[in-house]
Amino acid sequence: MTLKSIFEPDSIAVVGASASPGKWGNSIVKNLLDSGFKGEVYPVNPREQEILGRTCYSSVLDIPGPVDLAVIAVPISLVFEVTDECGKKGIKGIIMITAGFSETGDEGRQLEKRLIEIIERYGMRLIGPNTLGVVNSKIGMNASIISRLPNPGGISFITQSGTLGLALADWTMEMGLGLNIVVSTGNKANIDDVDLLEYLDEDSNTNVIAMYVEGVNRGREFMNVAKRISKPILAVKAGRTESGSKAVFSHTGSLAGSDEVYSAAFKQAGIIRVENIDDLFDSALALSVQPAPRGKRVGIISNGGGASIIASDACERMGLDIPELQLETRERIKELVSGFASARNPVDTAGLAGYDVYNGIVRQMLLDPNIDAMIVIYVHTVMWDASISARAIVDIHRGTCSKPIIACWMGGAGTEKGVNILKEGGLPNYPVPERAVKALASLVKHHGFLENVKERV
Amino acid sequence: MEEVIWERLRDANIPVLPMIRASTAAKAVDAANVLGYPVVMKILSPDISHKSDVGGVVLSLGSDGEVEAAYHTMMERVISMVSNARIKGVVLQKMAQPGLEVIVGAKRDPQFGHVIMFGLGGIFVEICRDVSFRVTPVDREMARQMILEIKGSPILGGARGRTAVDMEKIIDVITGLSLLLDKYPEILELDINPLVVYPDGAYAVDARMLSH
């Protein structure tokens, strides 16, 4: 069944809404009202008349109009009654914020089973329980306890850790990352990763799927769905250091810990596994704004020798090649820079970072058939204006460039203007070369998956 | 169990060394003569999975006298170390020619089902953990990638003046194992360790299996 009632509702009831600031039942109503959601928001709480200027209903059954989605944040003892009422009301989607279910042990597992029976009886779909909610920035819906809505963008994020979702909004704003849907999966008692991947694949506003995974429930289905999705899927799998089973029956048994198995499964399903959250969003950013390169041959330019050597080393470590430029390209570059500069890849402009130098060289390198992708590094010095070199690259990028460009404006203070120009121009920028290279490596990996793993539809 | 796994491997077209079981010292000597010396003797018991830990494996037996003596010594040692084990006799195997030892194994993961592991045998798997994994089914191309993926893969290709080993045979074993796992979902763990690989051919020399 469709998950539209959850991600694209026209009307939302907040069951367990509260008039007291600081309570979750209050934050959710406030977040929905503040985020610019155009549909109806109905607070529900039998003890309140009005919450944040909205009429409060004592039960969802009292709400006059139809309701698509209910966000439930009541004490666990009331969960079953209010969920049943949602079913009676004809509500199709539930976001269950309330915790205390299978995550707490056997007793909680029984409660979760009871909850799912109600959900299934009415043919509803449920996120959670024990979730922090759902955000859809495209329609301005913040049905979560995340206090700030992230900037709209093409990256959708599925997180099994609620707190990670909370930290996210601020983080992404700092990085200039645009998010589309954020979903905290909670216990995945009804809607799990398989359902979410299917939904996000069809969602035209999502172009990159980022996941924080602790474990998936239906391994084979998960792999099959991921294989059919051509949008990049990135995942951090928590518990990387977990070792295999303790009992030593066989070598395979002791070596095939869940982590190794996840690595294999992700690779076979065309999911880019990254080490940590930083890498997840660094890569997601590049994948959301840049095309996948045709190959792994990288051109590097820098106005300072050291940075391009670091970038070259990082490329080598990540399995990317730094090829020779064609003779013709080298000659054209020599015409553009002083005799001291190296016209070999990585190209060193020997300190020059003017518009014509950066624009001209990068243009020539992109035209070179030996090059599949560019890393453009600018090391800030007081002699240059970081925004001029940034403009030089963005102007190329605005042209018809099908090869990805990754930027690395180094030097912190003084580069902000340049960094903003890059951001607005759709160029992913990173403050150090290693991060730029890692992000590019994810682009290369995705292209490899498209060629070898993904099923063509 | 010992018997079942060899049968399963043979069914999956995984080459195994010829072996004969024997329940007395005299029958062991006969078996050794049929196989041809030198031979290996292994204890046959459904209760002992780590045979060498209890003195249940003797290598390089070269004569009738050695086989007879080994049989008696093995029975005494094993019974003294694991008194309650059911002993069904011994298995005699032709001693494998030295070759490159690799391990091909499988495990059933609770989330993803069967996975296959490949690695170089001995210290490479135990200390370096230089292994690769794939979720089944594994086809020939995936098997080839698994083999090339381990750090030690140049050794298979004949690094440092060694002769290259029969890579296609390893691929046969991996894909054969994949089909076998498909047929027997109840298998929880399985190790072919070592699979001894030669420039031309390979043999499963020892194997262990744990089923539901």
Side-chain angles (χ1 to χ4, degrees):
Chain A
M1 187 201 282
T2 175
L3 303 184
K4 275 196 161 41
S5 55
I6 287 172
F7 292 106
E8 302 153 59
D10 288 327
S11 48
I12 306 173
V14 180
V15 184
S18 168
S20 320
K23 291 222 168 155
W24 284 10
N26 183 264
S27 309
I28 296 162
V29 179
K30 187 171 184 305
N31 289 343
L32 278 170
L33 297 178
D34 288 354
S35 60
F37 178 65
K38 298 282 190 297
E40 293 296 333
V41 176
Y42 304 106
V44 176
N45 184 338
R47 290 190 308 259
E48 302 283 348
Q49 301 299 313
E50 197 188 276
I51 290 172
L52 296 164
R54 301 277 166 134
T55 308
C56 189
Y57 298 87
S58 57
S59 155
V60 289
L61 295 170
D62 299 337
I63 297 170
V67 178
D68 295 327
L69 168 69
V71 184
I72 300 180
V74 297
I76 194 161
S77 56
L78 302 173
V79 155
F80 307 100
E81 190 189 336
V82 300
T83 307
D84 191 69
E85 286 173 359
C86 287
K88 288 203 176 89
K89 172 73 182 164
I91 293 171
K92 289 283 166 248
I94 304 278
I95 295 173
M96 184 64 70
I97 308 283
T98 306
F101 291 89
S102 63
E103 80 277 11
T104 61
D106 281 341
E107 205 177 313
R109 233 183 306 276
Q110 290 307 314
L111 295 173
E112 195 162 293
K113 236 178 107 187
R114 217 175 120 196
L115 171 65
I116 294 307
E117 277 166 19
I118 302 171
I119 293 294
E120 286 173 357
R121 191 183 314 147
Y122 292 101
M124 298 187 280
R125 297 306 307 264
L126 167 119
I127 292 276
N130 185 29
T131 167
L132 295 191
V134 169
V135 172
N136 181 350
S137 46
K138 183 79 183 176
I139 61 164
M141 178 185 81
N142 183 1
S144 81
I145 59 170
I146 299 169
S147 57
R148 281 168 73 192
L149 198 64
N151 295 322
I155 302 164
S156 285
F157 183 46
I158 302 171
T159 173
Q160 204 170 345
S161 154
T163 40
L164 203 56
L166 276 182
L168 197 70
D170 289 331
W171 195 342
T172 56
M173 281 178 199
E174 207 171 286
M175 274 186 65
L177 209 63
L179 292 183
N180 181 40
I181 282 169
V182 179
V183 47
S184 150
T185 57
N187 296 358
K188 302 195 270 203
N190 176 252
I191 293 171
D192 67 5
D193 304 285
V194 176
D195 301 310
L196 293 171
L197 285 180
E198 276 170 349
Y199 175 78
L200 292 176
D201 184 34
E202 281 175 20
D203 174 40
S204 59
N205 299 315
T206 296
N207 62 21
V208 176
I209 302 168
M211 309 181 76
Y212 169 86
V213 181
E214 285 167 5
V216 299
N217 303 332
R218 302 182 274 162
R220 294 285 170 136
E221 286 102 319
F222 176 77
M223 288 175 72
N224 292 338
V225 169
K227 235 187 276 183
R228 287 198 300 268
I229 297 177
S230 57
K231 294 175 184 179
I233 307 174
L234 294 147
V236 174
K237 164 71 176 71
R240 181 131 215 183
T241 51
E242 182 190 346
S243 63
S245 59
K246 300 288 176 286
V248 195
F249 173 79
S250 66
H251 281 302
T252 311
S254 67
L255 289 170
S258 88
D259 192 71
E260 287 75 15
V261 177
Y262 271 94
S263 277
F266 283 3
K267 188 162 33 178
Q268 284 173 258
I271 296 172
I272 304 165
R273 181 171 184 171
V274 292
E275 293 285 331
N276 51 48
I277 298 287
D278 295 4
D279 293 351
L280 182 72
F281 290 118
D282 278 357
S283 294
L285 172 64
L287 282 158
S288 69
V289 291
Q290 291 288 305
R294 290 270 181 78
K296 55 176 189 173
R297 299 166 306 165
V298 183
I300 300 173
I301 175 179
S302 159
N303 60 330
S308 60
I309 292 167
I310 291 170
S312 305
D313 288 350
C315 282
E316 198 176 313
R317 275 200 304 279
M318 309 282 309
L320 305 178
D321 299 335
I322 312 290
E324 275 284 5
L325 298 171
Q326 290 198 338
L327 185 64
E328 199 187 331
T329 313
R330 294 208 299 269
E331 278 169 358
R332 294 245 167 89
I333 291 173
K334 274 184 191 153
E335 289 164 15
L336 287 157
V337 285
S338 70
F340 293 109
S342 160
R344 291 179 180 280
N345 189 19
V347 172
D348 182 355
T349 67
L352 300 176
Y355 184 96
D356 292 340
V357 170
Y358 262 52
N359 183 285
I361 295 176
V362 174
R363 226 178 254 281
Q364 289 307 323
M365 291 176 84
L366 285 168
L367 285 171
D368 192 313
N370 288 357
I371 297 295
D372 299 312
M374 280 297 298
I375 290 182
V376 181
I377 302 170
Y378 165 78
V379 186
H380 188 56
T381 63
V382 286
M383 293 161 61
W384 298 98
D385 181 342
S387 59
I388 290 172
S389 46
R391 178 72 59 208
I393 306 307
V394 168
D395 285 351
I396 302 171
H397 183 57
R398 285 223 178 98
T400 53
C401 181
S402 62
K403 297 178 182 179
I405 304 173
I406 310 289
C408 174
W409 259 233
M410 299 178 73
T415 61
E416 297 92 342
K417 261 170 70 188
V419 168
N420 281 332
I421 289 168
L422 295 168
K423 227 179 258 181
E424 280 158 24
L427 279 170
N429 177 56
Y430 305 90
V432 289
E434 290 92 335
R435 284 174 61 182
V437 172
K438 269 192 196 173
L440 178 58
S442 288
L443 280 175
V444 171
K445 216 174 244 179
H446 180 60
H447 179 257
F449 284 151
L450 286 176
E451 296 280 296
N452 303 313
V453 177
K454 299 289 187 178
E455 287 163 8
R456 319 266 154 128
V457 189
Chain B
M1 189 53 95
E2 179 82 30
E3 311 264 85
V4 176
I5 180 165
W6 293 113
E7 197 182 305
R8 295 256 194 282
L9 294 182
R10 272 189 290 261
D11 281 354
N13 284 323
I14 294 171
V16 301
L17 272 186
M19 61 185 75
I20 301 173
R21 57 184 293 190
S23 52
T24 66
K27 283 177 182 166
V29 170
D30 289 348
N33 280 291
V34 171
L35 293 167
Y37 286 107
V39 295
V40 180
M41 185 184 290
K42 294 175 187 171
I43 196 77
L44 184 59
S45 163
D47 303 319
I48 299 170
S49 60
H50 290 271
K51 294 184 280 284
S52 53
D53 294 356
V54 295
V57 180
V58 185
L59 305 174
S60 303
L61 297 171
S63 68
D64 292 2
E66 282 178 32
V67 169
E68 198 180 341
Y71 185 90
H72 294 302
T73 319
M74 182 176 289
M75 287 300 155
E76 277 167 34
R77 286 223 322 259
V78 171
I79 289 165
S80 72
M81 290 182 78
V82 245
S83 52
N84 55 349
R86 289 166 290 169
I87 311 268
K88 306 232 163 150
V90 297
V91 168
L92 285 119
Q93 230 180 2
K94 198 169 161 54
M95 183 92 179
Q97 295 293 311
L100 183 71
E101 294 192 358
V102 302
I103 173 171
V104 177
K107 185 196 163 181
R108 200 174 78 187
D109 178 81
Q111 267 77 41
F112 292 97
H114 281 134
V115 290
I116 292 182
M117 180 183 93
F118 170 78
L120 294 175
I123 60 158
F124 291 102
V125 59
E126 280 165 28
I127 296 165
C128 310
R129 300 174 66 101
D130 184 14
V131 290
S132 58
F133 295 92
R134 287 293 183 283
V135 177
T136 59
V138 178
D139 62 22
R140 294 193 74 82
E141 188 45 41
M142 288 161 77
R144 194 182 309 277
Q145 289 304 321
M146 280 181 86
I147 297 167
L148 295 175
E149 201 171 288
I150 63 164
K151 292 192 189 78
S153 71
I155 294 170
L156 297 153
R160 294 238 158 203
R162 284 163 168 263
T163 320
V165 300
D166 193 342
M167 182 104 98
E168 295 307 313
K169 210 60 180 179
I170 306 176
I171 294 172
D172 287 347
V173 172
I174 293 173
T175 51
L177 179 60
S178 178
L179 292 171
L180 184 150
L181 295 164
D182 219 28
K183 208 165 144 193
Y184 301 101
E186 67 271 22
I187 294 175
L188 295 177
E189 288 183 37
L190 190 156
D191 268 359
I192 300 170
N193 182 27
L195 175 78
V196 181
V197 196
Y198 306 101
D200 184 13
Y203 279 112
V205 170
D206 204 357
R208 309 149 55 66
M209 183 171 78
L210 182 68
S211 277
H212 237 342

